[in-house]
Amino acid sequence: MFGTVFQTISTQTLDLYPEENRAKIDEVNDFVYKAIANGAYKAGFSSKQEVYETAYASFFDGLDKLDDMLSSSKFLVGESVTEADIRLFPPLFRFDPVYHSRFKLNKKLLWEYKNIWRWMGDMMALPGMEPVSNEEYLQHCKQGYFGRTGNGTVPVGPPGYPEAYKHKHWSH
């Protein structure tokens, strides 16, 4: 959509949906939605243990696959940012500080995925990311997810986010 419909009103030449990569981008978008973006919600809002456990396993299988995908390229579909990277960024940005505890997706943190962690740093370094990936925005996300718990409390931690995403992890 960004690279097609909105192209006529854009003043930028960035093509996030290049024609030669559209099939691959569509495939990755489908995977990201099912395994990661919606996958987190399936676990987090499940009301049955079996459903939660199935979603939990599927979500972390998806992160394993993502980490493998990112082992051979800087971004999801090659060496340039595409729509697939833009779609993946929000759920991963929220993962450690929100989904890990709120959605009970607590098997691993993102730094434990070497290639995903590197990708997060690459995404955070892109021009224009600061307004949509700063501490204030993260606090807004936490308020939205944790504010629905009934008592209105929002966790203070984990400390260091989102700044941590900008740095190589000491273990890599």
Side-chain angles (χ1 to χ4, degrees):
M1 187 164 148
F2 292 121
T4 57
V5 178
F6 289 127
Q7 196 66 27
T8 59
I9 60 172
S10 175
T11 59
Q12 304 293 320
T13 57
L14 178 64
D15 187 359
L16 296 172
Y17 195 59
E19 193 162 346
E20 66 275 10
N21 292 332
R22 287 181 182 173
K24 181 67 175 172
I25 292 168
D26 291 343
E27 176 187 325
V28 172
N29 283 344
D30 185 60
F31 161 72
V32 164
Y33 175 74
K34 289 176 180 172
I36 306 301
N38 196 45
Y41 285 87
K42 284 182 179 181
F45 293 115
S46 62
S47 59
K48 295 185 177 165
Q49 187 67 31
E50 183 180 330
V51 173
Y52 160 72
E53 289 179 12
T54 299
Y56 178 97
S58 180
F59 180 84
F60 284 101
D61 287 347
L63 287 183
D64 289 338
K65 181 177 177 178
L66 267 178
D67 200 55
D68 186 56
M69 290 167 61
L70 290 165
S71 70
S72 59
S73 62
K74 184 173 182 175
F75 296 104
L76 288 171
V77 185
E79 300 307 306
S80 300
V81 174
T82 66
E83 179 184 311
D85 298 286
I86 302 302
R87 286 177 183 245
L88 176 61
F89 185 77
L92 291 190
F93 177 77
R94 295 186 294 250
F95 178 74
D96 285 4
V98 179
Y99 295 173
H100 186 271
S101 58
R102 176 65 173 98
F103 288 171
K104 299 176 274 313
L105 292 168
N106 52 11
K107 180 179 180 181
K108 291 183 176 181
L109 292 164
L110 287 187
W111 68 262
E112 295 177 80
Y113 296 94
K114 181 180 179 180
N115 300 306
I116 292 174
W117 191 261
R118 186 240 342 122
W119 177 87
M120 284 296 294
D122 292 339
M123 291 297 290
M124 294 289 287
L126 292 172
M129 289 300 282
E130 180 61 27
V132 295
S133 62
N134 58 41
E135 195 170 341
E136 292 77 26
Y137 176 70
L138 183 57
Q139 186 61 28
H140 171 77
C141 292
K142 288 163 68 173
Q143 179 64 46
Y145 286 97
F146 287 97
R148 297 182 186 133
T149 59
N151 63 10
T153 59
V154 176
V156 174
Y161 285 89
E163 194 62 31
Y165 291 134
K166 298 178 185 177
H167 306 285
K168 186 175 180 179
H169 193 268
W170 64 268
S171 68
H172 300 164

